[in-house]
Amino acid sequence: MEEIKGSLSKPAAVIACIGMTLFYVATLYAPTLILRLPPPHSFNNFMTRRFICAAVSSVAFVIICALLLPIRSGDASYLFGVYGIRSDHIWQAVLLPLFLTSLMYAGSLVLLASKWMEHRNQDRRPLLCCIKTTLLRFPSQMSSVASDVLFWRNLVVSSILNSNFNEQAPLTEELVFRASHLNHMAEIYSRHNYSLREASMVVGLQLGYTVVFGSYASFLFIRTGNLACPLVAHVFCNYMGLPVLFVQRKGLVSVAFVAGTLSFAWLLFPLTRPDLYNERTNSCRCWQGYCLWN
């Protein structure tokens, strides 16, 4: 594989990031503000329109990045590798980041387990009967989830304002774009009858959380060179919501959160070692070169 020479200058990288941010947000509002299309008559139509806008932006950004980055090969596997789209080491890329991210949710998982146990005690059915019922319901539940537009919004496709502020789009954000979320200020202020102070607090908390998670997701991609790593972590975080730190009369939840956080800090670098996700080679496909062994 041909070694990449040259690099993208920092000013060019900053300008490109700002330009893509503005273009992404503008594309989301383009149907009504630019194309002057009538408002969608249903929520599903609104979401479909947003999905199309996000897809257009994402395709455009993939092409723009391919032109900006110092890529010197047109081979398909090489180009996919630049974006971290790879089939090798897939189990490591899925399981290790999932386990690492779940450590930050140790308190949440303990809380879910305690609620399940409480429900189990109230149900008073044999454990095997509960497991059988759950397995029988699983196909229909998956079918219902797959046909739910909210599932595709929150866990797959596009970054859209919703009541659960920490949900952003794994696919579009991890592939080419990470939203700034500041555009939500006007929507919260005007459509949800929030005061300017309340809207600022909501967006500020949202922005703070997404900056922290964005840094973590970018760290995963740089360390591993595999898009599946931040994608899996993003989907899991969207599903779980904010980590649970404290629950009244359930001290074990706080203990679990602290233990999980310490374990996360201890295992962060060992579980993201580049050699776990790449062959020990000097021709790594990561364009930024962080996975090279020389």
Side-chain angles (χ1 to χ4, degrees):
M1 187 174 296
E2 183 181 352
E3 183 178 354
I4 298 174
K5 298 180 181 179
S7 62
L8 186 65
S9 67
K10 292 181 180 180
V14 171
I15 293 173
C17 289
I18 295 174
M20 285 190 285
T21 299
L22 296 176
F23 181 77
Y24 185 92
V25 175
T27 303
L28 292 180
Y29 295 97
T32 54
L33 298 182
I34 299 177
L35 300 179
R36 300 295 181 179
L37 296 179
H41 60 272
S42 69
F43 179 74
N44 283 355
N45 286 344
F46 170 75
M47 297 307 305
T48 301
R49 184 180 293 183
R50 282 290 177 97
F51 290 171
I52 294 174
C53 292
V56 170
S57 298
S58 299
V59 172
F61 293 157
V62 168
I63 296 173
I64 291 172
C65 287
L67 296 175
L68 291 177
L69 295 177
I71 300 174
R72 298 292 183 270
S73 173
D75 181 68
S77 62
Y78 180 86
L79 291 175
F80 281 122
V82 167
Y83 292 101
I85 303 174
R86 298 158 41 189
S87 59
D88 61 289
H89 298 80
I90 189 64
W91 290 112
Q92 296 92 320
V94 171
L95 296 180
L96 294 181
L98 182 61
F99 171 73
L100 183 64
T101 306
S102 68
L103 292 175
M104 289 298 296
Y105 288 88
S108 303
L109 295 174
V110 168
L111 181 61
L112 289 175
S114 65
K115 289 182 177 180
W116 184 86
M117 289 299 297
E118 291 174 1
H119 176 74
R120 168 78 179 82
N121 293 334
Q122 294 174 358
D123 194 5
R124 296 185 179 180
R125 287 188 299 168
L127 179 60
L128 290 178
C129 183
C130 294
I131 295 175
K132 180 181 178 181
T133 302
T134 302
L135 293 176
L136 290 175
R137 290 178 179 175
F138 184 76
S140 62
Q141 290 176 342
M142 289 297 98
S143 176
S144 175
V145 167
S147 61
D148 186 1
V149 68
L150 294 178
F151 166 81
W152 295 101
R153 177 191 72 176
N154 295 338
L155 299 183
V156 181
V157 184
S158 63
S159 176
I160 296 174
L161 178 64
N162 55 80
S163 57
N164 189 354
F165 68 86
N166 63 303
E167 293 180 354
Q168 296 88 39
L171 187 58
T172 58
E173 289 196 349
E174 300 308 338
L175 179 60
V176 288
F177 175 81
R178 186 163 300 286
S180 65
H181 301 284
L182 291 176
N183 60 298
H184 293 168
M185 172 75 79
E187 296 187 37
I188 294 175
Y189 179 71
S190 61
R191 296 185 184 180
H192 298 273
N193 297 320
Y194 278 61
S195 67
L196 184 60
R197 178 175 174 274
E198 291 172 334
S200 300
M201 291 179 63
V202 170
V203 173
L205 182 59
Q206 180 185 25
L207 186 61
Y209 176 82
T210 53
V211 165
V212 172
F213 177 79
S215 301
Y216 170 60
S218 300
F219 174 86
L220 288 178
F221 180 72
I222 290 174
R223 288 277 290 177
T224 66
N226 198 314
L227 183 66
C229 296
L231 188 60
V232 167
H234 201 149
V235 170
F236 180 78
C237 288
N238 276 10
Y239 179 79
M240 293 297 295
L242 287 173
V244 176
L245 283 66
F246 169 79
V247 176
Q248 274 190 332
R249 300 180 182 178
K250 293 185 182 293
L252 185 60
V253 171
S254 298
V255 173
F257 172 76
V258 173
T261 301
L262 294 176
S263 300
F264 173 86
W266 182 48
L267 294 173
L268 179 60
F269 281 90
L271 289 186
T272 57
R273 290 197 337 259
D275 62 301
L276 295 175
Y277 306 88
N278 303 274
E279 301 295 339
R280 299 180 67 90
T281 176
N282 287 327
S283 58
C284 176
R285 283 180 281 186
C286 303
W287 71 267
Q288 64 275 69
Y290 281 90
C291 297
L292 299 184
W293 291 96
N294 57 1

